[in-house]
Amino acid sequence: MSAAANSHKKLMTGRKKQGHFSALNIALVDCGDNWAEMSLTPTAALIGDPSTGALHSGPITTLLDSALGIAASVALPRLGFAPTIDLRVDHLRKANVDEPLIARGEVVRITRNVLFAKGSVRQGDVEIAHAVGNFVRLSDDVLAMAEAHIKQQLETMENSDES
Amino acid sequence: MSLDHVLDLPVSQRASQAILNEIPYAVMMGVLAEENPGTHEPLRFVMHASELHMGNPTLPAMHGGALSGFMELASAVHLLSFMETAKYPKLIDFSIDYLRAARLQTVYAVCELMREGRNLTAVQVKAWQVDPARPVAIGRAQFLCSDR
């Protein structure tokens, strides 16, 4: 696993979950050189249609945006992040709130300015949705700032572990 | 009142907020509808941002997925407030373009029905935070509305 993937994994799994990840029970399962897997453990609060008990599309979009976004971040040649340009999600089947969803995102091509990614979501053995999304490859000076910031966070995390 | 009860009402008597109140995900996200009865103002949706919508904690921005979820809810409820359908529409696909960084502050959305068919309905949605002329994201949805 690349050093960047390792650092992202530490960041995502090491610190207390907060914000929208915590609200939707989203966690990083694993990530590698150009891919990431994330899980979402649904609750009744995420139902979109109470008459069928179906999960709303919003959490599925969020899970895919996160998985493709982390895949784009780890695919960068240095530690950083990649903002979403656009995302298109096809909802192949209804998802329920009884079982976790697993999303896998991967980067298919990196150019000087853009990272092209695709991915899908499964619930059990069933494919629920698939997506394509493109991400910004930020300029080197912006990425250098991001890298410094992330390294500082990792250090803070490690120091608080020791104390 | 359940969602089925609200949707059994004729369109003219359906309040968008009453629909949102029966969708657990909309309640969790805190999505509100501003009705302007008697005016020709389009139906506007609002979401007041909180820590709950935050993405990457390193920069206090709204998660792109939270913004998209808000816009997906807005498109569906917009459709339900204009079409005589008795079921929550099925989203076939949703496409979003992120145009500007969305901060952790109030976000608004308006929608437009682009096509109203017996089976397929297309909705466009625009979201902004400070200036409607500077949208943070635009989206489009294809919904299946038939009862089949």
Side-chain angles (χ1 to χ4, degrees), chain B:
Chain B
M1 207 188 243
S2 72
L3 184 61
D4 287 342
H5 283 111
V6 180
L7 297 184
D8 279 343
L9 296 170
V11 159
S12 58
Q13 291 172 34
R14 276 182 202 163
S16 303
Q17 188 60 56
I19 301 173
L20 286 165
N21 289 346
E22 300 306 327
I23 304 171
Y25 176 63
V27 174
M28 191 277 274
M29 294 279 280
V31 176
L32 305 171
E34 291 179 339
E35 317 257 2
N36 300 300
T39 72
H40 292 287
E41 291 290 306
L43 176 61
R44 194 167 81 159
F45 296 88
V46 190
M47 185 171 80
H48 298 294
S50 70
E51 199 262 344
L52 153 85
H53 306 102
M54 187 178 69
N56 184 348
T58 50
L59 42 153
M62 189 176 286
H63 194 296
L67 180 58
S68 189
F70 165 59
M71 292 165 75
E72 289 164 35
L73 277 164
S75 344
V77 174
H78 181 91
L79 184 160
L80 289 171
S81 64
F82 287 97
M83 275 182 76
E84 288 288 353
T85 174
K87 278 192 173 162
Y88 191 78
K90 276 186 191 159
L91 183 60
I92 302 169
D93 59 62
F94 190 82
S95 179
I96 183 166
D97 291 307
Y98 295 98
L99 306 178
R100 292 178 179 82
R103 297 173 199 288
L104 210 53
Q105 63 189 48
T106 303
V107 59
Y108 303 92
V110 289
C111 306
E112 198 179 336
L113 274 181
M114 303 305 288
R115 174 188 193 268
E116 196 181 326
R118 225 154 50 122
N119 288 323
L120 296 174
T121 296
V123 182
Q124 260 182 19
V125 50
K126 178 177 95 167
W128 74 94
Q129 291 190 307
V130 178
D131 179 359
R134 294 175 62 80
V136 290
I138 49 172
R140 42 144 294 266
Q142 289 281 359
F143 286 106
L144 189 63
C145 298
S146 70
D147 290 341
R148 283 187 297 172

Side-chain angles (χ1 to χ4, degrees), chain A residues 11 15 18-21 23-24 26 44-51 56-59 61-63 65-66 81 84-92 149-150 153, chain B residues 3-4 22-26 28-29 51-59 63-66 68-69 72-73 76 87-88 91-99 140:
Chain A
L11 258 190
R15 70 182 160 204
Q18 39 182 336
H20 210 49
F21 288 120
L24 264 52
I26 291 181
L46 303 184
I47 287 177
D49 184 351
S51 67
H56 197 269
S57 56
T61 304
T62 303
L63 181 62
D65 184 41
S66 308
F81 69 100
T84 318
I85 300 172
D86 53 31
L87 184 73
R88 145 80 183 248
V89 181
D90 293 338
H91 297 277
L92 307 175
H149 194 84
I150 295 172
Q153 280 193 311
Chain B
L3 184 61
D4 287 342
E22 300 306 327
I23 304 171
Y25 176 63
M28 191 277 274
M29 294 279 280
E51 199 262 344
L52 153 85
H53 306 102
M54 187 178 69
N56 184 348
T58 50
L59 42 153
H63 194 296
S68 189
E72 289 164 35
L73 277 164
K87 278 192 173 162
Y88 191 78
L91 183 60
I92 302 169
D93 59 62
F94 190 82
S95 179
I96 183 166
D97 291 307
Y98 295 98
L99 306 178
R140 42 144 294 266

